[in-house]
Amino acid sequence: MVDAIRTYADYDSFAREWHSETLSNRDVTLEAARERDLINEQDTRQLWQLLGLLDEDDVFIQLPEWLVEEKTDDVRGSLAITFVGYISRETEDAVLFKDSSPGRRLMQIAHKIHSLENGVENTAVDSDRRKRLNDKLQEEYRRFEKQDDVPYLSDEWLPKSQLITIIQRRD
């Protein structure tokens, strides 16, 4: 499929590439950038958590704002410029992006799922608290699976030359 899809198997490689512009502009390592708060580690971790929940064919895609404005009827204040969906077809110049949802919203749900999984893991097996956490976790999984409640770019042809980033996580 698309040659531009970048895949990552470990968090540090992903973070290094995701922040490559900041790191090269400041001539610092990832570790130094973390220590000096030059990167948003929280957002980076949430994106990594999201990538871990995606289906095998799903990708996280970043687009220029003008293209999103052209392809959507969204009239809200701030446009989503990141999306999760899958590429169903491609030509030499474009990809058909299907069943997408805004990336930021899914990142928030993925982070909540990750936190609840940790809570369940660190709570006594037979406790009421663990049952409540597990119920909340299942609810968040359902929210994540129901991505079609805000489809922005469903069945849209996107020019390959305008795709800023396409990423997947491979474990």
Side-chain angles (χ1 to χ4, degrees):
M1 184 74 52
V2 178
D3 292 336
I5 296 176
R6 293 184 180 149
T7 60
Y8 300 95
D10 69 276
Y11 176 74
D12 280 348
S13 296
F14 164 72
R16 203 171 285 109
E17 180 66 27
W18 188 248
H19 295 290
S20 61
E21 189 174 314
T22 300
L23 299 176
S24 65
N25 286 346
R26 307 247 183 169
D27 196 29
V28 295
T29 64
L30 179 60
E31 294 73 26
R34 285 176 173 148
E35 289 171 10
R36 295 170 43 194
D37 289 329
L38 299 176
I39 60 174
N40 187 333
E41 189 79 20
Q42 181 179 358
D43 275 0
T44 308
R45 284 232 179 255
Q46 286 182 6
L47 177 52
W48 183 249
Q49 292 163 353
L50 168 62
L51 294 173
L53 290 176
L54 297 182
D55 290 337
E56 185 177 300
D57 294 330
D58 286 339
V59 295
F60 177 89
I61 193 167
Q62 184 178 12
L63 303 170
E65 193 171 310
W66 70 266
L67 182 59
V68 175
E69 287 174 355
E70 180 180 297
K71 297 286 186 179
T72 66
D73 295 329
D74 191 354
V75 294
R76 289 176 278 177
S78 64
L79 284 176
I81 59 167
T82 59
F83 301 90
V84 170
Y86 70 95
I87 297 170
S88 69
R89 291 184 23 212
E90 71 176 296
T91 67
E92 189 174 312
D93 298 323
V95 295
L96 180 59
F97 194 55
K98 298 183 68 86
D99 297 335
S100 72
S101 292
R104 174 67 56 192
R105 183 180 74 82
L106 292 176
M107 283 171 58
Q108 293 165 347
I109 296 171
H111 178 65
K112 194 174 245 183
I113 287 171
H114 179 77
S115 297
L116 287 167
E117 285 174 340
N118 284 339
V120 168
E121 198 174 289
N122 294 318
T123 303
V125 175
D126 295 331
S127 70
D128 287 341
R129 182 173 189 273
R130 185 178 181 128
K131 182 184 178 338
R132 283 191 310 275
L133 288 173
N134 216 356
D135 290 345
K136 287 181 184 179
L137 177 60
Q138 296 312 310
E139 181 181 320
E140 291 303 318
Y141 275 128
R142 284 189 292 278
R143 277 184 62 208
F144 187 81
E145 290 301 318
K146 189 181 175 226
Q147 296 177 19
D148 61 356
D149 60 347
V150 190
Y152 280 1
L153 295 173
S154 188
D155 301 330
E156 289 290 342
W157 282 98
L158 303 172
K160 287 181 177 179
S161 64
Q162 297 303 312
L163 304 177
I164 297 171
T165 304
I166 307 173
I167 53 177
Q168 289 178 312
R169 178 172 165 179
R170 294 284 181 235
D171 291 318

